[in-house]
Amino acid sequence: MKRLLPLYAFFTFTLLYAPLAVMALFSFNDSKFMRWTGFSTRWYGALLDDRRLQDALWDTVIIGAGTTFLSVALGTLIALPLTRVTFRGRKLYNTLVSLPLMIPDIALGIALLMFFTAVSAPLGRTTIIIAQSTFGLSYAALVIAARLEGFDRSLEEAALDLGATPWQTFWRVTFPLIRPGLIAAALLCFTLSFDDFVITYFTTGPGTSTIPVEIYGMVKKGISPKINALSTLLVAASLALLLASLRFTRPPLTGGTR
């Protein structure tokens, strides 16, 4: 059985990454069609000349930054009771925090669109940030809670015994120790925002677009190497952000060292 494990791994990773490899390969194809005619970077150059994509990238970055800030701020406030307070209904509280992760994106997108319509909120960057934060804060809360689980509470108690106020204790003791978790949560939330299509599609408005929405509009006109180039850059950026977030998800060391 052990001898078959490399074969299983080979087929599994081929299934996962072969489509991405083909997409990346044809992003360097000189031809517009799915027929290899030679190596070229012309399609990456074409992206630099596309003003519409540049505007979409700017919107994507602004929305990602707003979503990240809101998700991490609210996620921190949500994570603290999960790890530090014992109360009736704690399991229900934990379930409600995780629930947005289990709701289908299309159902959540429709619900958010109906909500914004009901309150007469103009669709645009603000509604997208709020919509993406509904699931971003759940991811942030779980990542930060995992960091807090291994936190040495005696360090806070020592600071309080030495005369520090609760606010000083948080900023000088708690915050530095959970900072890697906050950074990991921020990188993860930005990645999720950067890649989101379904919820963004339902909550966007005229004059606002993101890279995934632009790709969808381009695909309806037919697959081209330009789309392959843009998608390849999108995958590379997402991979870089995820790898960076993994750097900060290691559990904290207890005691006085890290």
Side-chain angles (χ1 to χ4, degrees):
M1 188 67 179
K2 292 183 179 180
R3 295 179 180 179
L4 295 177
L5 289 179
L7 186 61
Y8 293 153
F10 173 77
F11 281 112
T12 299
F13 286 113
T14 298
L15 180 65
L16 289 173
Y17 297 108
L20 296 178
V22 172
M23 178 187 69
L25 176 64
F26 277 91
S27 70
F28 294 99
N29 187 17
D30 187 57
S31 172
K32 293 183 178 181
F33 307 101
M34 292 295 292
R35 183 182 70 256
W36 184 264
T37 59
F39 182 87
S40 175
T41 59
R42 59 182 291 201
W43 305 112
Y44 288 92
L47 295 178
L48 299 177
D49 298 328
D50 194 321
R51 181 66 183 178
R52 185 182 180 92
L53 288 178
Q54 293 176 12
D55 292 340
L57 177 61
W58 180 242
D59 284 338
T60 303
V61 172
I62 293 178
I63 291 169
T67 299
T68 299
F69 176 80
L70 189 59
S71 297
V72 173
L74 295 178
T76 302
L77 297 177
I78 291 173
L80 289 172
L82 284 176
T83 57
R84 300 194 166 195
V85 181
T86 301
F87 55 93
R88 177 179 293 182
R90 188 172 183 271
K91 290 185 177 180
L92 177 61
Y93 179 85
N94 192 15
T95 301
L96 292 176
V97 170
S98 305
L99 186 60
L101 306 181
M102 296 177 279
I103 298 176
D105 286 350
I106 190 168
L108 187 58
I110 293 173
L112 288 165
L113 175 60
M114 294 178 63
F115 172 78
F116 292 136
T117 302
V119 298
S120 300
L123 299 180
R125 288 178 181 172
T126 301
T127 55
I128 297 175
I129 291 173
I130 295 173
Q132 291 184 354
S133 297
T134 58
F135 64 86
L137 64 88
S138 295
Y139 282 101
L142 294 177
V143 172
I144 296 170
R147 184 75 184 184
L148 288 170
E149 286 289 350
F151 186 84
D152 188 357
R153 296 291 303 279
S154 64
L155 297 175
E156 291 179 325
E157 295 171 357
L160 293 171
D161 289 340
L162 292 173
T165 64
W167 188 248
Q168 291 174 328
T169 300
F170 175 80
W171 280 112
R172 297 184 180 181
V173 179
T174 308
F175 180 78
L177 291 177
I178 67 172
R179 183 166 50 202
L182 298 177
I183 296 174
L187 291 171
L188 179 60
C189 290
F190 187 85
T191 303
L192 293 170
S193 171
F194 197 83
D195 292 342
D196 181 69
F197 166 73
V198 176
I199 292 177
T200 301
Y201 183 79
F202 279 101
T203 56
T204 191
T208 303
S209 185
T210 63
I211 292 296
V213 173
E214 283 297 316
I215 291 177
Y216 175 74
M218 294 167 65
V219 167
K220 291 195 295 184
K221 300 177 183 178
I223 301 295
S224 74
K226 188 175 179 180
I227 298 176
N228 294 336
L230 181 58
S231 300
T232 300
L233 292 177
L234 189 64
V235 170
S238 301
L239 181 60
L241 289 171
L242 285 174
L243 290 177
S245 68
L246 292 176
R247 166 65 177 78
F248 296 97
T249 53
R250 66 187 182 192
L253 298 176
T254 58
T257 60
R258 295 181 58 210

